[in-house]
Amino acid sequence: MGHVLDKLDKKILHFISQNARTPFLEIARECNVSGAAIHQRVQKLMQQGVIRSSEFVIDQYKVGYQTCAYIGIVLKSNVEFQDVVNHIKEIPEVVECHYTTGKYAMFIKIYAKDNRHLLRLLLDKLAVIPGVANTETFQLSLEEIFRRQLSVFGEEVNTEQDKN
Amino acid sequence: MGHVLDKLDKKILHFISQNARTPFLEIARECNVSGAAIHQRVQKLMQQGVIRSSEFVIDQYKVGYQTCAYIGIVLKSNVEFQDVVNHIKEIPEVVECHYTTGKYAMFIKIYAKDNRHLLRLLLDKLAVIPGVANTETFQLSLEEIFRRQLSVFGEEVNTEQDKN
DNA sequence: TGTGAAAGCGACCCTAC
DNA sequence: GTAGGGTCGCTTTCACA
């Protein structure tokens, strides 16, 4: 939890969370510090786990995955969560998996090529997992309206100022 | 949306979707092509919109956002979707927004610092948007079990082979 | 922790195929 | 659409403060 981030950390996160290829030297110039400082900060943030990874974001629709759905999963009683998770992990089309409190035990996000594919995933891959009682599907429309990273830093990041 | 991706495209996407800082030259060596080829392919993929962006992924929990929820939104009748979307966009804690078919009109993903914060967002920001009839919240547990990009390319990518 | 310089590479552009 | 070379700029490391 309490990772104390100062303004410089937040500025760095602000930049690199929007464009992973931003040169560290460019960030350094924006922040009026040396390139080495940025480099060291980024390494520390990675070690602390504040930075989880970096990735190019692919448009799933353009590579043939036309359908996306959130699925709430209800488990049978006395089921070991981890067993179910292990099965779910084996389905490559599942891109997120969460525990939830309330109505469902778990919530997953899944991509499929089309509705038929989605149905097959539901029936042949999900429903057959031991422990899964039933599922409810919230099918998302073709167009994702928007998607972004949490811009926690927006307000506090002022690009034209000294480092403190 | 037939963007025809050949094996080389898929290999490239496979690498850069997992680590945005992978040097193109390294990918080139893996694929037995020149660095320039990778560079041009990536540019083309960006122009086509297959690559949407690149980003460092921040661990939200480690920067003080302890709570995450999916929220299904029901709209009043005769409401212009876009008006509602415009209001939702103004809430920085919302990181995804989708249209859905079925029970809800829209589905969003939202981060909050804690339960109180989530409640305030629901009551003070979401519920007051004109056109929003009611919402249903699926609160996600602290620990995200996993999150990954669609590895469409896994099966087809063989790192030790020629380019065709 | 941050700095500055130095060394090693990679990105990018251009020309040729 | 790919290869190769050259230049420029970036990353990374190190001694020092």
Side-chain angles (χ1 to χ4, degrees):
Chain A
M1 345 220 61
H3 281 281
V4 183
L5 302 179
D6 64 10
K7 281 201 175 134
L8 181 53
D9 289 322
K10 291 184 181 180
K11 268 195 192 180
I12 294 171
L13 291 175
H14 174 74
F15 284 115
I16 67 178
S17 69
Q18 307 207 11
N19 179 355
R21 287 268 175 171
T22 311
F24 292 168
L25 266 179
E26 197 177 312
I27 301 173
R29 285 189 291 265
E30 292 279 355
C31 299
N32 297 316
V33 294
S34 70
I38 303 293
H39 183 248
Q40 289 167 3
R41 293 287 190 123
V42 170
Q43 294 247 316
K44 199 187 67 186
L45 290 168
M46 291 202 290
Q47 278 174 7
Q48 292 175 330
V50 173
I51 295 172
R52 295 174 63 164
S53 59
S54 71
E55 58 191 34
F56 272 75
V57 182
I58 313 300
D59 188 324
Q60 308 303 349
Y61 300 120
K62 297 223 170 156
V63 297
Y65 282 69
Q66 308 282 331
T67 297
C68 181
Y70 289 128
I71 299 177
I73 298 176
V74 180
L75 297 184
K76 294 172 185 158
S77 48
N78 296 328
V79 167
E80 195 55 57
F81 274 41
Q82 191 57 49
D83 294 341
V84 179
V85 169
N86 289 340
H87 278 97
I88 290 177
K89 250 195 192 134
E90 298 297 314
I91 308 172
E93 288 87 354
V94 176
V95 296
E96 286 184 30
C97 181
H98 309 265
Y99 294 125
T100 67
T101 55
K103 197 167 169 183
Y104 308 108
M106 297 171 150
F107 226 99
I108 64 175
K109 182 176 181 178
I110 192 166
Y111 279 98
K113 295 187 181 173
D114 50 36
N115 287 350
R116 258 186 80 235
H117 185 202
L118 179 60
L119 197 63
R120 279 215 314 279
L121 289 171
L122 280 167
L123 297 179
D124 302 344
K125 297 292 180 67
L126 260 183
V128 299
I129 294 175
V132 170
N134 61 69
T135 62
E136 187 166 7
T137 302
F138 303 96
Q139 189 162 356
L140 305 182
S141 141
L142 250 169
E143 48 179 326
E144 190 176 65
I145 311 178
F146 66 81
R147 176 193 173 286
R148 61 191 178 196
Q149 281 210 62
L150 191 50
S151 66
V152 193
F153 317 111
E155 329 85 52
E156 310 179 40
V157 174
N158 214 319
T159 46
E160 296 295 339
Q161 70 180 37
D162 51 342
K163 61 188 166 184
N164 286 318
Chain B
M1 319 275 71
H3 281 283
V4 182
L5 303 179
D6 64 10
K7 281 201 174 135
L8 181 53
D9 289 322
K10 291 185 180 179
K11 267 194 192 181
I12 293 171
L13 292 175
H14 173 75
F15 284 115
I16 67 179
S17 68
Q18 307 209 9
N19 179 355
R21 288 267 174 171
T22 311
F24 292 168
L25 272 178
E26 197 177 312
I27 300 173
R29 285 189 291 266
E30 293 278 355
C31 300
N32 298 316
V33 293
S34 73
I38 304 293
H39 182 247
Q40 288 167 1
R41 293 287 189 122
V42 170
Q43 295 247 316
K44 199 189 64 186
L45 290 168
M46 291 202 291
Q47 277 175 6
Q48 292 176 329
V50 173
I51 295 172
R52 297 175 61 163
S53 61
S54 70
E55 58 190 34
F56 271 74
V57 182
I58 312 301
D59 188 325
Q60 307 303 350
Y61 300 121
K62 297 223 169 156
V63 297
Y65 282 69
Q66 309 283 329
T67 298
C68 182
Y70 288 129
I71 299 177
I73 298 176
V74 180
L75 296 185
K76 293 171 185 159
S77 47
N78 295 328
V79 167
E80 196 55 59
F81 275 41
Q82 192 57 49
D83 294 341
V84 178
V85 169
N86 289 340
H87 278 98
I88 290 177
K89 247 190 195 140
E90 298 298 314
I91 308 172
E93 288 86 355
V94 176
V95 296
E96 287 182 30
C97 180
H98 310 266
Y99 295 125
T100 67
T101 57
K103 196 168 170 182
Y104 308 108
M106 296 172 151
F107 225 99
I108 64 173
K109 182 174 180 179
I110 192 167
Y111 279 97
K113 294 188 181 173
D114 50 37
N115 287 351
R116 258 186 80 238
H117 184 202
L118 178 60
L119 197 62
R120 279 215 315 279
L121 289 170
L122 280 168
L123 297 178
D124 303 344
K125 298 291 180 67
L126 260 182
V128 299
I129 294 175
V132 170
N134 60 69
T135 61
E136 186 165 7
T137 302
F138 304 96
Q139 188 162 357
L140 305 182
S141 143
L142 250 169
E143 48 179 325
E144 191 175 64
I145 309 177
F146 65 80
R147 177 193 172 287
R148 61 190 177 196
Q149 282 210 61
L150 190 50
S151 65
V152 192
F153 317 113
E155 330 85 49
E156 309 180 40
V157 174
N158 215 320
T159 47
E160 295 295 340
Q161 73 181 33
D162 51 341
K163 61 188 163 182
N164 287 317

